[in-house]
């Protein structure tokens, strides 16, 4: 009788204790991730960066050279989730832009931020303008200092060259991701030396933990002065395997010495998170 009573009372208790123990083990053994997940996606020779905050805000910055970005989004977003809060186009070159055409067709995009460059109207920019208009997407022209709030104190801040350099790479919209008052990541688009010089002269605080290296690591981006101001601890280079441009350039890689560098042609998609101890880490 006493045994039966004990058996009735104990099993739920034992299950509860086991689950509690497992929960404590999981909590202690896995570093707690907070804030956001940022992916520099492996889209070949091009650029596409996806950001998802802890609160569920989703941002895509550039879309790569083709529809490969859709496969990458399917991996990171739930199948039923067909919406994005924000799409940023850094500049209208096909290696950043073409994948976004399919994104605008297949996802409900609430807002687009870009920097229309006068006298650069071509078939790509015409198609872009038409898609934004036909899908009734709210469009904002990027301006230096503008912020896009992501909730919980985090936000994106933009830099747009003024006056325009008129070379599309150097008219890239540059985005910084901030968590509270701290800059986590600077996304440089295809910015090269001329735009870097303008950004440095603007006096903007660009000190950031991480850097999405400008222009796929080309010889004419990531100057010593620029890297000294950003002072990144880690960097990601979005670059295609065996690309014909010779990206990333060996001299640029030399200038990045001392910074932990992840290349999409070598490791695939680079996923970064901010851990509870406040540092940006690769997942
Ligand atoms: Zn590019």
């Amino acid at each position: 009788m006493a045994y039966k009573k004990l058996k009735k009372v104990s099993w739920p208790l034992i299950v509860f204790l086991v689950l509690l123990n497992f929960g404590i083990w999981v909590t202690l053994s896995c570093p707690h991730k907070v804030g956001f997940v940022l992916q520099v996606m492996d889209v070949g020779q091009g650029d596409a960066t996806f950001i998802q905050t802890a609160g569920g805000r989703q941002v895509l910055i550039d879309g790569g050279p083709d529809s490969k970005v859709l496969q990458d989004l399917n991996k990171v977003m739930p199948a039923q989730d067909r919406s994005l809060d924000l799409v940023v186009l850094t500049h209208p070159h096909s290696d950043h832009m073409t994948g976004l055409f399919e994104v605008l067709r297949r996802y409900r995009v609430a807002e687009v931020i870009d920097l229309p460059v006068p006298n650069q109207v071509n078939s790509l920019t015409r198609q872009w303008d038409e898609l934004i208009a036909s899908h009734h997407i709210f469009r904002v022209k990027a301006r230096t200092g503008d912020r896009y709030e992501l909730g919980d104190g985090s936000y994106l801040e933009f830099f747009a060259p003024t006056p325009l350099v008129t070379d599309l790479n150097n008219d890239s919209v540059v985005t910084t991701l901030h968590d509270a008052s701290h800059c986590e990541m600077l996304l440089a688009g295809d910015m090269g030396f001329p735009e870097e010089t303008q950004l440095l002269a603007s006096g903007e605080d660009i000190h950031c933990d991480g850097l999405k290296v400008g222009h796929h690591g080309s010889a004419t981006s990531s100057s010593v002065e620029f890297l000294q101001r950003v002072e990144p601890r880690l960097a990601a280079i979005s670059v295609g395997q065996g690309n014909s441009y010779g990206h990333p350039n060996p001299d640029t890689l030399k200038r990045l010495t001392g910074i932990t560098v992840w290349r999409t042609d070598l490791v695939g998609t680079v996923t970064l998170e901010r851990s509870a101890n406040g540092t940006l880490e690769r997942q």
Side-chain angles (χ1 to χ4, degrees):
M1 194 64 185
Y3 168 71
K4 270 188 180 172
K5 225 180 206 176
L6 180 68
K7 199 171 147 190
K8 260 187 189 172
V9 174
S10 295
W11 275 115
L13 185 65
I14 288 166
V15 170
F16 172 74
L17 287 174
V18 167
L19 287 174
L20 183 67
N21 207 25
F22 180 71
I24 291 169
W25 175 80
V26 167
T27 304
L28 292 178
S29 60
C30 304
H32 181 52
K33 301 293 193 287
V34 293
F36 63 89
V37 175
L38 183 148
Q39 287 195 331
V40 178
M41 291 170 154
D42 180 19
V43 290
Q45 184 63 19
D47 251 30
T49 302
F50 177 75
I51 299 166
Q52 178 156 311
T53 67
R57 305 300 294 276
Q58 295 160 325
V59 178
L60 182 64
I61 300 175
D62 288 336
D66 52 37
S67 58
K68 166 78 166 49
V69 67
L70 297 176
Q71 295 170 32
D72 293 333
L73 287 174
N74 280 337
K75 283 181 199 163
V76 73
M77 291 171 70
Q80 71 279 10
D81 185 356
R82 310 304 292 175
S83 65
L84 289 163
D85 294 290
L86 174 67
V87 164
V88 178
L89 172 65
T90 61
H91 64 297
H93 274 161
S94 61
D95 59 324
H96 298 247
M97 188 181 204
T98 303
L100 288 182
F101 294 151
E102 283 307 306
V103 170
L104 293 196
R105 287 187 188 108
R106 290 163 190 254
Y107 286 79
R108 287 188 309 280
V109 174
E111 182 173 339
V112 160
I113 293 179
D114 66 352
L115 183 61
V117 179
N119 308 321
Q120 291 290 346
V121 177
N122 55 39
S123 61
L124 285 177
T125 56
R126 265 194 297 272
Q127 199 178 339
W128 178 246
D129 292 346
E130 283 166 13
L131 272 171
I132 291 171
S134 64
H135 287 78
H136 308 290
I137 301 169
F138 183 58
R139 187 178 191 176
V140 175
K141 183 179 174 181
R143 290 182 311 182
T144 298
D146 278 0
R147 288 185 180 187
Y148 181 92
E149 299 294 336
L150 293 169
D152 300 322
S154 63
Y155 60 91
L156 301 175
E157 189 166 325
F158 301 99
F159 172 81
T162 317
L164 290 169
V165 182
T166 68
D167 139 30
L168 286 184
N169 286 338
N170 283 290
D171 288 327
S172 287
V173 176
V174 174
T175 307
T176 46
L177 168 64
H178 299 255
D179 208 341
S181 60
H182 181 74
C183 177
E184 300 286 356
M185 192 87 180
L186 187 151
L187 300 148
D190 274 1
M191 175 170 63
F193 294 156
E195 190 177 351
E196 287 175 5
T197 302
Q198 210 186 99
L199 178 53
L200 293 174
S202 74
E204 292 285 314
D205 180 7
I206 54 171
H207 184 272
C208 292
D209 256 14
L211 171 69
K212 199 292 296 173
V213 174
H215 199 198
H216 321 284
S218 83
T220 54
S221 65
S222 306
S223 68
V224 171
E225 297 76 15
F226 173 74
L227 292 174
Q228 281 173 348
R229 278 277 287 278
V230 181
E231 215 183 352
R233 202 167 45 79
L234 54 86
I237 302 178
S238 183
V239 66
Q241 278 179 4
N243 68 85
S244 58
Y245 305 97
H247 293 156
N249 186 276
D251 290 339
T252 306
L253 291 177
K254 240 180 245 171
R255 292 196 291 278
L256 292 166
T257 302
I259 301 163
T260 303
V261 176
W262 305 103
R263 294 168 44 172
T264 57
D265 61 334
L266 299 181
V267 302
T269 292
V270 178
T271 302
L272 302 170
E273 289 186 333
R274 185 174 182 231
S275 61
N277 60 15
T279 56
L280 194 63
E281 304 291 347
R282 182 172 172 237
Q283 197 181 56

